[in-house]
Amino acid sequence: MRVEDLVYFCAPARLIVGPGSRAQLPALLNRLNYRRGLIVTDTFFTQATSWVEELVSGAQEQGVELLVYDGGMPDPTTTRCDAATLSVRQWAGDRPFDLVIALGGGSNIDLAKALCLTLPDGKPVRTFMGRIDAQTPILPVVALPTTAGTGSEATPGAILVDPESATKVAVMDNRLRPAIALIDPEFTYTCPPRVTADAGIDALTHAIESYLTRDAADFDRAGDPDPGYSGRNALTMLFAQESVRLCSQFLMRSYRDGNDEVARCGMSYASLYAALSYGSAGLNAVHGIAYAVAGFTHLSHGTTNAVMLPYVLDALRDVRRDELITIARLFGIDTPDPEDAAAQLPVVMRDLVQALGIPTTLKACGIAQGDLDALTRDALAVTRLAKALPAPDVAARYAAIVRHAWAGTLTAEAKLKAPRRAA
């Protein structure tokens, strides 16, 4: 334990993990007295897999009626959520739902969470931006992630795109943490390499970023008695460290060979453990800047996280030295000098990103040098993440990170005393 910790830890009410575990869900829904639910997914899962049909028929045998909405899409917008709310309420009639089931990647889970807010009263999702009143009815959500990376199955919020500003906005409440998170690694077996890479680096980023973020004792909870995020503590760090260990072993394996079932299972566990860490500890500069990069480039979430990760690590060497050394050792950086290990870590991360076929600089992502100041301002505007960076003068630190990420400069690279380890 760490005597300075203030532990506030939230997780899904039930976690079910293991290959084939989806078969357990219908009986559990019956056991928990759910009778009518909505499955939120997309046309790939309704047309190209048997999973939705199996779930619907299995639930029916248990006396649970499930209706299907398959209008999910990548990066759901607020307008998509409102259109789905109207459509579902119209064909559902006067029989209310008592739960929402999300099947898919992070986008489908985010849409499902948002619908948990909008379906009861039909209000626009923008109504729920900011603090959500305790009296607001929220349907319970069941999350079945089909990728190993997003972590939405353990977090308190949903991320949507606001089409008016082309920025990402959040609805957040601890009641949006799934009532059931069911992680069946078999869902991920058919993920193509690009999705595997994006999801995997997202999981690794969640683990590392939450391991390095601001301590719970210093975290600004703004007087909230039930905060969604509250800074790192010994418990979140345990989950983060195990996730990093699993990613170091199985991320490249699952990318190179999608039929490697051991690697697929390892990454499913890694993603969940990372989510259990960041779902309470929170994140900081990698995600904060990545959101701004996505606004400029419309690249995937995993890609924008990946390009920023090495440069944020490089910028935190002065304030998170011991933690960087721990991560370096987990990644097999065995140079005897601990300082060299910490210096090598950002380089190894950049090599890993490159090996996954992801750009390693903002310039390669299509960001113009003249846009760097605006990008930095956009990133700092995500104040929830900026204030969680465990470093002084956050604005200057963000600006330096962005400049280095554009040019591909790692300050420690020239100081290395030992050969770097290839990813």
Side-chain angles (χ1 to χ4, degrees), residues 31-327:
R31 173 70 177 84
L32 297 176
N33 203 34
Y34 293 122
R35 288 295 171 258
R36 192 168 194 253
L38 176 72
I39 299 176
V40 177
T41 187
D42 57 57
T43 54
F44 172 81
F45 296 110
T46 55
Q47 297 176 10
T49 78
S50 60
W51 300 332
V52 176
E53 183 180 348
E54 290 171 357
L55 180 55
V56 171
S57 60
Q60 187 175 22
E61 292 175 2
Q62 294 287 334
V64 182
E65 180 187 13
L66 297 179
L67 303 182
V68 179
Y69 173 80
D70 63 358
M73 60 183 297
D75 297 320
T77 64
T78 54
T79 52
R80 164 70 60 162
C81 178
D82 291 342
T85 302
L86 179 62
S87 175
V88 171
R89 282 173 61 86
Q90 284 178 342
W91 52 257
D94 57 0
R95 297 179 59 205
F97 296 108
D98 54 13
L99 84 157
V100 176
I101 299 174
L103 174 68
S107 293
N108 286 352
I109 298 175
D110 282 346
L111 178 59
K113 287 181 178 179
L115 289 171
C116 289
L117 285 164
T118 61
L119 284 176
D121 295 324
K123 296 178 180 177
V125 72
R126 286 177 177 275
T127 308
F128 306 103
M129 303 298 175
R131 187 174 177 82
I132 298 174
D133 187 270
Q135 306 307 313
T136 298
I138 302 178
L139 293 174
V141 62
V142 175
L144 283 68
T146 59
T147 60
T150 174
S152 296
E153 69 273 10
T155 63
I159 305 297
L160 305 173
V161 175
D162 180 357
E164 292 183 6
S165 62
T167 59
K168 294 187 175 182
V169 295
V171 291
M172 194 159 309
D173 191 287
N174 277 324
R175 290 172 291 170
L176 289 175
R177 293 182 193 269
I180 303 170
L182 191 150
I183 293 83
D184 187 336
E186 290 182 2
F187 283 141
T188 71
Y189 288 0
T190 57
C191 280
R194 180 76 276 123
V195 175
T196 299
D198 267 20
I201 201 70
D202 196 23
L204 177 59
T205 301
H206 290 153
I208 291 178
E209 207 172 359
S210 61
Y211 190 68
L212 302 177
T213 200
R214 188 171 293 278
D215 288 322
D218 299 326
F219 195 91
D220 180 10
R221 304 186 188 189
D224 191 344
D226 187 28
Y229 300 111
S230 53
R232 71 174 191 173
N233 57 61
L235 183 58
T236 66
M237 293 175 75
L238 283 173
F239 282 115
Q241 193 166 326
E242 177 64 5
S243 178
V244 171
R245 186 186 71 83
L246 291 169
C247 287
S248 72
Q249 294 184 34
F250 298 120
L251 176 50
M252 282 304 301
R253 275 180 58 175
S254 63
Y255 173 66
R256 287 171 174 161
D257 181 5
N259 295 316
D260 187 336
E261 294 182 2
V262 173
R264 291 292 196 184
C265 288
M267 285 307 299
S268 291
Y269 278 84
S271 175
L272 173 63
Y273 294 155
L276 291 172
S277 178
Y278 94 85
S280 285
L283 303 167
N284 51 77
V286 178
H287 273 70
I289 301 173
Y291 286 153
V293 175
F296 276 81
T297 65
H298 304 292
L299 292 171
S300 70
H301 180 62
T303 294
T304 55
N305 276 335
V307 72
M308 295 311 307
L309 178 60
Y311 305 99
V312 173
L313 293 179
D314 195 41
L316 292 178
R317 287 173 54 233
D318 61 328
V319 292
R320 287 290 187 257
R321 170 189 175 275
D322 292 344
E323 291 86 344
L324 292 180
I325 292 170
T326 297
I327 297 169

Side-chain angles (χ1 to χ4, degrees), residues 376-396:
T376 302
R377 287 195 299 271
D378 287 352
L380 288 168
V382 188
T383 55
R384 171 178 64 87
L385 298 176
K387 71 180 183 180
L389 188 70
D393 199 352
V394 172

